[in-house]
Amino acid sequence: MNDKLFVKGSEAIAEAAVRAGCRFFAGYPITPQNELPEYMSWRLPEVGGTYVQGESEMASMNMIFGAASTGTRCMTSSSGPGLSLKAESLSCALGSKLPHVMAIMMRGGPGHGIIFPAQQDYEFAVHGPCHGGVKQFILAPSTAQEAVDLTYSSFDIADKYRTGVLILGDGFLANTIENVTFPPMKKLEDLPQHKDWKITEYDPNHHKLITSYFPPEIMEQENIKMGQMYEYWEEHETQYQNYLMDDCEILICAYGSTGRICEEVVDELRNEGLKVGLFRPITLHPFPKKVFEEIDYNRVKLIVSVEMAIPGQLVEDIKNYVARRTRVEHFGRSGGVLINPGEIKEAIHKMVEE
Amino acid sequence: MEIVYKKSSNFIEAGHSFCPGCSHGIAHNIMMDTIDEMGLAEKAILVYPVGCAANAMTYVKPNVVHAPHGRAPAVATGIKRCAPDKFVVLYQGDGDLAAIGMAETIHMANRGEHVTTIYINNTIYGMTGGQMAPTTMMGQITTTTREGRGLHGEGQPIKMCEMISTLGEPKFVARYALDNAKHVIEARKGIKKAFQMQVEDKGYAFIELLSMCPSNWHLSPKDSVKYMEEEVIKTFPLGVYKEEV
Ligand SMILES: Cc1ncc(C[n+]2csc(CCOP(=O)(O)OP(=O)(O)O)c2C)c(N)n1
Ligand code: SF4
Ligand SMILES: [Mg+2]
């Protein structure tokens, strides 16, 4: 297969996953991400992998649970309604330390919602994707190429920390057709072998048990380790884009597709005389919180969280990190209405005048 | 002297935590004994449910994956598809398999995954203290059907062998009981047949074992045997429901 393709974001993620060594995929149809499982259904058999269409998102996530326990690189995908259904087994998979990757392409909500792009699952994905207080590693690509690069690395992160990585995109990313360049196909024999825990290795003296069920004292120790891991991630694994932040007086915070749109907004507002910059978190968990300790609050008079979510979700985190050191506002669209640069600019002009 | 019965070497030496008279122990014994006899311990991956059965997962020697409640069929699908040379056995209770996990159960059976299900039907939610299960019999008293099942729109007991045998892919579907020596020997034969099918890659087998839960039936182990003979087996007739081997 060619290294350069003109494809939808969903397909780009699928091919990147295959090249990263993903050999098992299970999913259930839901717009706006159907092209991802569809791609996997023919592509995985080509490379000796397996695709299974699950009878639900729950079943699909549990198939991932099983596949991961054999040490196979594996993935599932869905949209927000599917994330709700995956939540139970996600908690069990994270608690059982089973590496896996999941792509969620958000659509308007709540409820059935609507198939058009939104960012209304930030809160759910970042702060509480499932019971038990466990968290996952969350990457938020803004372009198809970034989605390729992040997906390719996501399997390494999942393996390194024995955790789940969520690629959080939206209907806009999933369906926009773009040019992308793919990294090389990884050799399976070069990947981590997980001999110490994977269930397919039998050792009569070492019973292997994959579970998230422990006596209280052990459970607490596991939770302490989990908390320490999240702290380590915050120290070492955060990623973000700094676009003209260093001299800005107004700072836009936006992630994913909205982040991409806001780059253009920054350029245009600068032309109109406002010193605007963009902070675009790429890792939503661990969140690059430290950035908010490095901001010169004498200079930055306004921070605006721009997101396809009403009520705002990211804005609540930003307020928390800013801790009243400057003014924080929210501008958003929601329910599947795609946000546009013109209205963002207008909203920021208005905020400045207030 | 000839040894006619011994504990399977697939248990670690650590007692067990099933109640007196519970059939989970007998089911485990014949399952492990068969794994022993067929030399499958190294290849085996046991998928455990949520329910009393999960008590056993720390004292068996083969490798174990503990699935979320009812999801063992989906978990087992992921395992077997990634490791087709392994011997995968699902061990599930009736609440786990026939209520919360019904969709996963039917669809795995319908795909005909090359695994074996051991289904422990004790007509009750054992672990949570004796609530109505999908298999609870008409008139059976549980903590959530205090006047007996059937008076308040609970429907009738679900019969899994009958349902599974209507599907195209399953190759061997049979129901046994664990109430007396004769029945246990028959059950063991059924388990062996099902295991052999998986070894030979002949498709999906579903083995139902009618089991006793004296604690939540509120009967002595002895009276539980009687209840099994007089009530349970009448509701859930024993026998082979499908055989295409
Ligand atoms: C999602 C979820 N729902 C409910 C429970 C509580 N629960 C634990 S065991 C069990 C019932 C198990 O009954 P059964 O499958 O019949 O097994 P038995 O204990 O009778 O062998 C339930 C409902 C749980 N652990 N997880
Ligand atoms: S509660 Fe019932 S099923 Fe559970 S261990 Fe006791 S007798 Fe067995
Ligand atoms: Mg039961």
Side-chain angles (χ1 to χ4, degrees), chain B residues 7 12 16-17 25-26 64-65 79 89 92 109 113 119 124 141 158 160 162 167 176 180 200 208 218 222-223 226 236:
Chain B
K7 190 168 137 191
I12 59 164
H16 70 79
S17 49
I26 303 169
V64 167
V65 178
I79 296 171
V89 178
Q92 297 179 263
E113 302 292 343
Y119 167 47
I124 206 131
I141 290 168
I158 290 180
M160 289 309 300
E162 287 83 335
L167 302 171
Y176 304 94
N180 60 43
E200 293 171 14
E208 174 169 347
H218 301 288
K222 208 171 148 193
D223 288 342
K226 219 166 125 202
F236 298 99

Coordinates of all heavy atoms in Angstrom, one line a residue, chain B residues 7 12 16-17 25-26 64-65 79 89 92 109 113 119 124 141 158 160 162 167 176 180 200 208 218 222-223 226 236:
Chain B
K7 N -8.6 -35.8 43.6 CA -8.7 -34.4 43.3 C -7.9 -34.0 42.1 O -6.8 -34.5 41.9 CB -8.2 -33.6 44.5 CG -8.6 -32.1 44.5 CD -8.3 -31.5 45.8 CE -7.6 -30.2 45.7 NZ -7.1 -29.7 47.0
I12 N -4.8 -25.6 43.1 CA -3.7 -25.3 44.0 C -4.2 -25.7 45.4 O -5.5 -25.8 45.6 CB -3.2 -23.9 44.0 CG1 -4.4 -22.9 44.4 CG2 -2.6 -23.5 42.7 CD1 -3.8 -21.6 44.7
H16 N -11.4 -24.2 49.5 CA -12.3 -23.5 48.6 C -13.4 -22.7 49.4 O -13.5 -22.9 50.6 CB -12.9 -24.4 47.6 CG -14.0 -25.3 48.2 ND1 -15.2 -24.9 48.4 CD2 -13.9 -26.6 48.6 CE1 -15.9 -25.9 49.0 NE2 -15.1 -26.9 49.1
S17 N -14.1 -21.8 48.7 CA -15.0 -21.0 49.4 C -16.5 -21.2 49.0 O -17.3 -20.3 49.1 CB -14.6 -19.5 49.3 OG -14.4 -19.2 48.0
G25 N -18.6 -26.7 43.1 CA -17.4 -27.5 43.4 C -17.4 -28.8 42.6 O -16.4 -29.1 42.0
I26 N -18.6 -29.4 42.4 CA -18.7 -30.7 41.6 C -18.4 -30.3 40.1 O -17.6 -31.0 39.5 CB -20.1 -31.3 41.7 CG1 -20.4 -31.6 43.2 CG2 -20.2 -32.5 40.9 CD1 -21.8 -32.0 43.4
V64 N -6.3 -17.6 33.8 CA -7.7 -17.2 33.9 C -7.8 -15.7 33.5 O -7.0 -14.9 33.8 CB -8.2 -17.3 35.4 CG1 -9.5 -16.6 35.6 CG2 -8.3 -18.8 35.8
V65 N -8.9 -15.5 32.7 CA -9.3 -14.1 32.4 C -10.7 -13.9 33.1 O -11.6 -14.7 32.9 CB -9.4 -13.8 30.9 CG1 -9.9 -12.4 30.7 CG2 -8.1 -14.0 30.3
I79 N -10.3 -13.5 22.8 CA -9.1 -14.4 23.1 C -8.9 -15.4 22.0 O -7.8 -15.6 21.5 CB -9.3 -15.1 24.5 CG1 -9.4 -14.1 25.6 CG2 -8.3 -16.2 24.7 CD1 -9.8 -14.7 26.9
V89 N -12.3 -22.0 27.6 CA -13.6 -22.5 28.3 C -14.2 -21.3 29.0 O -13.5 -20.6 29.8 CB -13.3 -23.6 29.3 CG1 -14.6 -24.1 30.0 CG2 -12.7 -24.8 28.6
Q92 N -20.0 -19.9 33.3 CA -20.9 -18.8 33.6 C -22.1 -19.3 34.4 O -22.7 -20.3 34.1 CB -21.4 -18.1 32.4 CG -20.3 -17.5 31.5 CD -20.9 -16.9 30.3 OE1 -20.9 -17.5 29.2 NE2 -21.5 -15.7 30.4
A109 N -22.7 -17.7 20.3 CA -23.1 -19.1 19.8 C -23.5 -19.0 18.3 O -23.2 -19.9 17.5 CB -24.4 -19.5 20.6
E113 N -18.2 -19.5 17.6 CA -16.8 -19.5 18.1 C -16.4 -20.8 18.5 O -17.2 -21.6 19.2 CB -16.7 -18.5 19.2 CG -17.1 -17.0 18.9 CD -16.3 -16.3 17.9 OE1 -15.1 -16.7 17.6 OE2 -16.7 -15.3 17.3
Y119 N -22.3 -23.9 31.6 CA -23.4 -23.0 32.1 C -23.9 -23.6 33.4 O -24.6 -24.6 33.3 CB -24.4 -22.9 31.0 CG -25.7 -22.2 31.4 CD1 -25.8 -21.1 32.1 CD2 -26.9 -22.8 30.9 CE1 -27.0 -20.5 32.4 CE2 -28.1 -22.2 31.3 CZ -28.2 -21.1 32.0 OH -29.4 -20.5 32.3
I124 N -31.0 -19.2 40.3 CA -31.0 -18.1 41.3 C -29.7 -17.3 41.1 O -28.7 -17.7 40.6 CB -31.1 -18.7 42.7 CG1 -31.7 -17.7 43.7 CG2 -29.7 -19.2 43.2 CD1 -32.8 -18.3 44.5
I141 N -39.7 -19.3 45.3 CA -39.6 -18.1 46.2 C -38.1 -17.7 46.2 O -37.2 -18.5 46.4 CB -40.1 -18.5 47.6 CG1 -41.6 -18.7 47.5 CG2 -39.7 -17.4 48.6 CD1 -42.2 -19.3 48.7
I158 N -36.3 -18.9 31.5 CA -35.7 -19.0 30.2 C -34.9 -20.3 30.1 O -34.1 -20.6 31.0 CB -34.8 -17.8 29.9 CG1 -35.6 -16.5 29.8 CG2 -33.9 -18.0 28.7 CD1 -34.9 -15.2 29.5
M160 N -32.1 -22.1 28.2 CA -31.1 -21.8 27.2 C -30.8 -22.9 26.2 O -30.5 -22.6 25.1 CB -29.8 -21.4 28.0 CG -29.9 -20.1 28.8 SD -30.4 -18.7 27.8 CE -29.2 -18.6 26.5
E162 N -32.7 -25.0 24.9 CA -33.7 -24.9 23.9 C -33.5 -23.8 22.9 O -33.7 -23.9 21.7 CB -35.1 -24.8 24.5 CG -35.6 -26.1 25.2 CD -35.1 -26.3 26.7 OE1 -34.0 -25.7 27.0 OE2 -35.7 -27.0 27.5
L167 N -30.2 -22.2 16.8 CA -29.2 -21.5 16.0 C -28.4 -22.4 15.1 O -28.3 -23.6 15.3 CB -28.2 -20.7 16.9 CG -28.8 -19.7 17.9 CD1 -27.8 -19.2 18.9 CD2 -29.5 -18.6 17.2
Y176 N -27.3 -31.3 31.6 CA -27.1 -32.4 32.5 C -27.4 -31.9 33.9 O -27.6 -30.7 34.1 CB -25.6 -32.8 32.5 CG -25.1 -33.3 31.1 CD1 -24.5 -32.4 30.3 CD2 -25.3 -34.6 30.7 CE1 -24.1 -32.7 29.0 CE2 -24.9 -35.0 29.4 CZ -24.3 -34.1 28.6 OH -23.9 -34.4 27.4
N180 N -26.8 -36.4 41.4 CA -26.4 -37.7 41.9 C -25.3 -38.3 41.0 O -24.9 -37.7 40.0 CB -27.6 -38.7 41.9 CG -28.2 -38.9 40.5 OD1 -27.4 -39.1 39.5 ND2 -29.5 -38.9 40.4
E200 N -10.5 -30.6 18.4 CA -10.5 -31.0 16.9 C -11.1 -29.8 16.1 O -11.3 -30.0 14.9 CB -11.4 -32.2 16.7 CG -10.7 -33.5 17.4 CD -11.6 -34.7 17.4 OE1 -12.7 -34.7 16.7 OE2 -11.3 -35.7 18.1
E208 N -25.0 -27.2 29.6 CA -25.7 -26.7 30.8 C -25.7 -27.7 31.9 O -25.9 -28.9 31.7 CB -27.2 -26.4 30.4 CG -28.0 -25.9 31.6 CD -29.4 -25.4 31.2 OE1 -29.6 -25.1 30.0 OE2 -30.3 -25.2 32.1
H218 N -32.5 -22.2 50.5 CA -32.9 -22.3 51.9 C -33.3 -23.8 52.2 O -34.3 -24.0 52.8 CB -34.0 -21.3 52.3 CG -33.5 -19.9 52.1 ND1 -32.6 -19.3 52.9 CD2 -33.8 -19.0 51.2 CE1 -32.3 -18.1 52.5 NE2 -33.1 -17.9 51.4
K222 N -29.1 -32.1 51.4 CA -29.9 -33.3 51.1 C -31.3 -33.0 50.5 O -31.7 -33.6 49.5 CB -30.1 -34.1 52.5 CG -30.3 -35.6 52.3 CD -30.3 -36.3 53.6 CE -31.2 -37.5 53.6 NZ -31.4 -38.0 54.9
D223 N -31.9 -32.0 51.1 CA -33.2 -31.6 50.5 C -33.0 -30.9 49.2 O -34.0 -30.9 48.3 CB -34.0 -30.6 51.5 CG -34.5 -31.4 52.7 OD1 -34.6 -32.7 52.6 OD2 -34.7 -30.8 53.7
K226 N -33.3 -33.5 46.6 CA -34.7 -33.8 46.4 C -35.4 -32.8 45.5 O -36.2 -33.1 44.6 CB -35.4 -33.9 47.7 CG -36.4 -35.1 47.8 CD -36.8 -35.3 49.3 CE -38.3 -35.2 49.4 NZ -38.7 -35.0 50.8
F236 N -36.5 -28.1 33.6 CA -35.4 -28.1 32.6 C -35.0 -29.5 32.2 O -34.1 -30.1 32.8 CB -34.2 -27.4 33.2 CG -34.4 -26.0 33.6 CD1 -34.7 -25.6 34.9 CD2 -34.4 -25.0 32.6 CE1 -34.9 -24.3 35.3 CE2 -34.6 -23.6 33.0 CZ -34.9 -23.3 34.3

